[in-house]
PDB file of all heavy atoms in Angstrom:
ATOM      1  N   CYS S1041     -61.738 -21.067   4.826  1.00  0.00           N
ATOM      2  CA  CYS S1041     -62.172 -21.949   3.740  1.00  0.00           C
ATOM      3  C   CYS S1041     -63.611 -22.409   3.949  1.00  0.00           C
ATOM      4  O   CYS S1041     -64.404 -22.452   2.990  1.00  0.00           O
ATOM      5  CB  CYS S1041     -61.240 -23.160   3.646  1.00  0.00           C
ATOM      6  SG  CYS S1041     -59.584 -22.768   3.034  1.00  0.00           S
ATOM      7  N   VAL S1044     -65.939 -19.447   3.148  1.00  0.00           N
ATOM      8  CA  VAL S1044     -66.100 -19.227   1.712  1.00  0.00           C
ATOM      9  C   VAL S1044     -66.987 -20.307   1.107  1.00  0.00           C
ATOM     10  O   VAL S1044     -67.891 -20.026   0.310  1.00  0.00           O
ATOM     11  CB  VAL S1044     -64.731 -19.184   1.008  1.00  0.00           C
ATOM     12  CG1 VAL S1044     -64.903 -19.130  -0.509  1.00  0.00           C
ATOM     13  CG2 VAL S1044     -63.923 -17.984   1.487  1.00  0.00           C
ATOM     14  N   ALA S1045     -66.748 -21.557   1.468  1.00  0.00           N
ATOM     15  CA  ALA S1045     -67.520 -22.663   0.910  1.00  0.00           C
ATOM     16  C   ALA S1045     -69.004 -22.530   1.229  1.00  0.00           C
ATOM     17  O   ALA S1045     -69.865 -22.886   0.409  1.00  0.00           O
ATOM     18  CB  ALA S1045     -66.984 -23.991   1.436  1.00  0.00           C
ATOM     19  N   LEU S1148     -54.635 -18.398  -2.479  1.00  0.00           N
ATOM     20  CA  LEU S1148     -55.998 -17.873  -2.383  1.00  0.00           C
ATOM     21  C   LEU S1148     -56.996 -18.989  -2.157  1.00  0.00           C
ATOM     22  O   LEU S1148     -56.757 -20.150  -2.507  1.00  0.00           O
ATOM     23  CB  LEU S1148     -56.367 -17.076  -3.628  1.00  0.00           C
ATOM     24  CG  LEU S1148     -56.584 -17.810  -4.952  1.00  0.00           C
ATOM     25  CD1 LEU S1148     -57.377 -16.916  -5.910  1.00  0.00           C
ATOM     26  CD2 LEU S1148     -55.265 -18.191  -5.615  1.00  0.00           C
ATOM     27  N   VAL S1149     -58.123 -18.604  -1.578  1.00  0.00           N
ATOM     28  CA  VAL S1149     -59.244 -19.519  -1.382  1.00  0.00           C
ATOM     29  C   VAL S1149     -60.198 -19.321  -2.548  1.00  0.00           C
ATOM     30  O   VAL S1149     -60.661 -18.214  -2.802  1.00  0.00           O
ATOM     31  CB  VAL S1149     -59.958 -19.253  -0.041  1.00  0.00           C
ATOM     32  CG1 VAL S1149     -61.123 -20.213   0.134  1.00  0.00           C
ATOM     33  CG2 VAL S1149     -58.984 -19.380   1.122  1.00  0.00           C
ATOM     34  N   THR S1150     -60.476 -20.390  -3.274  1.00  0.00           N
ATOM     35  CA  THR S1150     -61.335 -20.318  -4.455  1.00  0.00           C
ATOM     36  C   THR S1150     -62.804 -20.438  -4.054  1.00  0.00           C
ATOM     37  O   THR S1150     -63.136 -20.638  -2.885  1.00  0.00           O
ATOM     38  CB  THR S1150     -60.969 -21.416  -5.450  1.00  0.00           C
ATOM     39  OG1 THR S1150     -61.239 -22.703  -4.851  1.00  0.00           O
ATOM     40  CG2 THR S1150     -59.494 -21.331  -5.823  1.00  0.00           C
ATOM     41  N   ALA S1151     -63.676 -20.356  -5.047  1.00  0.00           N
ATOM     42  CA  ALA S1151     -65.118 -20.341  -4.787  1.00  0.00           C
ATOM     43  C   ALA S1151     -65.613 -21.618  -4.116  1.00  0.00           C
ATOM     44  O   ALA S1151     -66.626 -21.600  -3.407  1.00  0.00           O
ATOM     45  CB  ALA S1151     -65.872 -20.110  -6.089  1.00  0.00           C
ATOM     46  N   THR S1152     -64.918 -22.737  -4.300  1.00  0.00           N
ATOM     47  CA  THR S1152     -65.320 -23.996  -3.672  1.00  0.00           C
ATOM     48  C   THR S1152     -64.835 -24.115  -2.232  1.00  0.00           C
ATOM     49  O   THR S1152     -65.157 -25.094  -1.553  1.00  0.00           O
ATOM     50  CB  THR S1152     -64.772 -25.184  -4.478  1.00  0.00           C
ATOM     51  OG1 THR S1152     -63.335 -25.104  -4.501  1.00  0.00           O
ATOM     52  CG2 THR S1152     -65.316 -25.172  -5.901  1.00  0.00           C
ATOM     53  N   GLY S1153     -64.037 -23.135  -1.779  1.00  0.00           N
ATOM     54  CA  GLY S1153     -63.465 -23.205  -0.441  1.00  0.00           C
ATOM     55  C   GLY S1153     -62.123 -23.908  -0.405  1.00  0.00           C
ATOM     56  O   GLY S1153     -61.573 -24.139   0.677  1.00  0.00           O
ATOM     57  N   GLU S1154     -61.578 -24.236  -1.573  1.00  0.00           N
ATOM     58  CA  GLU S1154     -60.279 -24.899  -1.644  1.00  0.00           C
ATOM     59  C   GLU S1154     -59.157 -23.867  -1.655  1.00  0.00           C
ATOM     60  O   GLU S1154     -59.322 -22.752  -2.152  1.00  0.00           O
ATOM     61  CB  GLU S1154     -60.196 -25.777  -2.893  1.00  0.00           C
ATOM     62  CG  GLU S1154     -61.211 -26.911  -2.909  1.00  0.00           C
ATOM     63  CD  GLU S1154     -61.133 -27.727  -4.182  1.00  0.00           C
ATOM     64  OE1 GLU S1154     -60.282 -27.414  -5.040  1.00  0.00           O
ATOM     65  OE2 GLU S1154     -61.938 -28.673  -4.317  1.00  0.00           O
ATOM     66  N   LEU S1155     -58.002 -24.272  -1.144  1.00  0.00           N
ATOM     67  CA  LEU S1155     -56.835 -23.406  -1.113  1.00  0.00           C
ATOM     68  C   LEU S1155     -55.987 -23.694  -2.353  1.00  0.00           C
ATOM     69  O   LEU S1155     -55.654 -24.855  -2.632  1.00  0.00           O
ATOM     70  CB  LEU S1155     -56.030 -23.663   0.158  1.00  0.00           C
ATOM     71  CG  LEU S1155     -55.046 -22.590   0.599  1.00  0.00           C
ATOM     72  CD1 LEU S1155     -55.765 -21.281   0.897  1.00  0.00           C
ATOM     73  CD2 LEU S1155     -54.277 -23.060   1.838  1.00  0.00           C
ATOM     74  N   ARG S1156     -55.649 -22.637  -3.096  1.00  0.00           N
ATOM     75  CA  ARG S1156     -54.883 -22.796  -4.333  1.00  0.00           C
ATOM     76  C   ARG S1156     -53.663 -21.888  -4.285  1.00  0.00           C
ATOM     77  O   ARG S1156     -53.736 -20.756  -3.772  1.00  0.00           O
ATOM     78  CB  ARG S1156     -55.747 -22.459  -5.538  1.00  0.00           C
ATOM     79  CG  ARG S1156     -55.009 -22.531  -6.871  1.00  0.00           C
ATOM     80  CD  ARG S1156     -55.928 -22.208  -8.043  1.00  0.00           C
ATOM     81  NE  ARG S1156     -55.174 -22.191  -9.293  1.00  0.00           N
ATOM     82  CZ  ARG S1156     -55.709 -21.893 -10.473  1.00  0.00           C
ATOM     83  NH1 ARG S1156     -57.007 -21.602 -10.573  1.00  0.00           N
ATOM     84  NH2 ARG S1156     -54.955 -21.891 -11.561  1.00  0.00           N
TER      85      ARG S1156
END
Side-chain angles (χ1 to χ4, degrees):
C1041 290
V1044 173
L1148 70 161
V1149 180
T1150 64
T1152 60
E1154 297 178 1
L1155 199 61
R1156 177 179 176 182

